[in-house]
Amino acid sequence: MRDWRVTIVPWADRRLWFVQARRGRRVVWGVVYDADDPDSVSLARRAIATLRAAGADCSALPSPLPGSPAPGA
């Protein structure tokens, strides 16, 4: 997974987001999450943590993710 690059793009509207892992131009993994649903956001964060631990490049992801509470909130 070291050659995977993880990014996030809006999906359908600004409430839904698509976290995708690409290898070159191909999407090799992805998950859509609802920014208004805390459980959905938590699932996306855990999936990203797993990808990061496996060596995927997650440097393009915003911090915090859309739908995540701001630091200190």
Side-chain angles (χ1 to χ4, degrees):
M1 287 187 194
R2 296 204 185 284
D3 58 344
W4 288 19
R5 180 165 171 79
V6 182
T7 59
I8 187 169
V9 293
W11 186 271
D13 61 31
R14 289 301 217 189
R15 187 175 56 89
L16 300 178
W17 293 86
F18 180 52
V19 178
Q20 61 185 354
R22 292 180 164 270
R23 186 175 183 191
R25 293 180 54 189
R26 295 181 57 187
V27 174
V28 293
W29 177 89
V31 64
V32 174
Y33 77 94
D34 181 342
D36 294 335
D37 177 5
D39 291 334
S40 182
V41 174
S42 177
L43 178 64
R45 291 173 57 92
R46 286 184 300 205
I48 291 166
T50 300
L51 289 168
R52 186 176 282 127
D57 176 7
C58 297
S59 63
L61 293 176
S63 181
L65 289 178
S68 296

